[in-house]
Amino acid sequence: MRQDHRQAGQGESPVQPQTKKPRRTAALRLRVTQEERRSIVAAADAAGMGICSFARVTVLRAVGQVPVDPPARRQMPTEAQRSLGTFLGQLGRIGNNANQVARKLNSGLAVEQSILADIRDELRHLRQAVLDELGEGGCQ
């Protein structure tokens, strides 16, 4: 096992051992009506938490305990972030197609020109979609 021989006060502080979080191994099951569920979901969303995290934190506080590590507030992706995710997915598919073409070419096989044209068209379409999303227009 490696030990840190640096002295405190000589540049960096000694390495502190990490404390383990208690593992949550016990489960509770709860039945509610559809109306109650909608209310719980709305309250969880308002608190920026998922349903289970919201329920755990709420119940622990109700019995006088402080949750060990309350979850961080969940941030919903912006429209731009959702669009970027779509574009990245499309780019990944195009990259996969291009990789298959490159593999064929490297192995000495011929590639149909229509496949190359499809990849080129997909890239143009994606480029235009990105420019439109950014509000820069562009031309095809």
Side-chain angles (χ1 to χ4, degrees):
M1 189 181 286
R2 182 176 166 226
Q3 293 192 6
D4 194 336
H5 295 290
R6 288 176 282 198
Q7 296 291 321
Q10 293 181 347
E12 296 183 40
S13 61
V15 177
Q16 297 292 322
Q18 291 185 351
T19 58
K20 282 190 169 186
K21 290 183 184 178
R23 296 196 71 198
R24 294 184 184 99
T25 57
L28 297 176
R29 187 170 179 164
L30 176 68
R31 291 194 177 272
V32 294
T33 66
Q34 286 296 325
E35 185 178 328
E36 290 169 333
R37 186 179 195 291
R38 282 191 291 273
S39 296
I40 293 168
V41 168
D45 285 343
M49 293 185 224
I51 299 170
C52 292
S53 294
F54 177 77
R56 184 178 65 81
V57 168
T58 303
V59 169
L60 287 174
R61 287 180 179 155
V63 297
Q65 291 188 16
V66 178
V68 175
D69 56 344
R73 291 186 66 86
R74 180 177 56 190
Q75 293 184 3
M76 301 304 288
T78 64
E79 183 63 35
Q81 290 169 326
R82 283 191 293 273
S83 294
L84 180 60
T86 300
F87 297 147
L88 289 175
Q90 290 175 349
L91 188 58
R93 287 186 288 281
I94 294 168
N96 185 45
N97 292 343
N99 193 31
Q100 290 174 4
V101 169
R103 209 174 300 135
K104 274 188 165 185
L105 290 172
N106 288 335
S107 66
L109 297 174
V111 176
E112 295 177 33
Q113 289 300 313
S114 64
I115 294 174
L116 295 174
D118 287 346
I119 292 173
R120 186 175 52 248
D121 290 343
E122 288 178 25
L123 284 169
R124 281 189 185 136
H125 175 73
L126 181 59
R127 178 184 181 277
Q128 188 61 46
V130 169
L131 291 174
D132 289 346
E133 186 67 29
L134 294 174
E136 296 181 14
C139 60
Q140 297 192 20

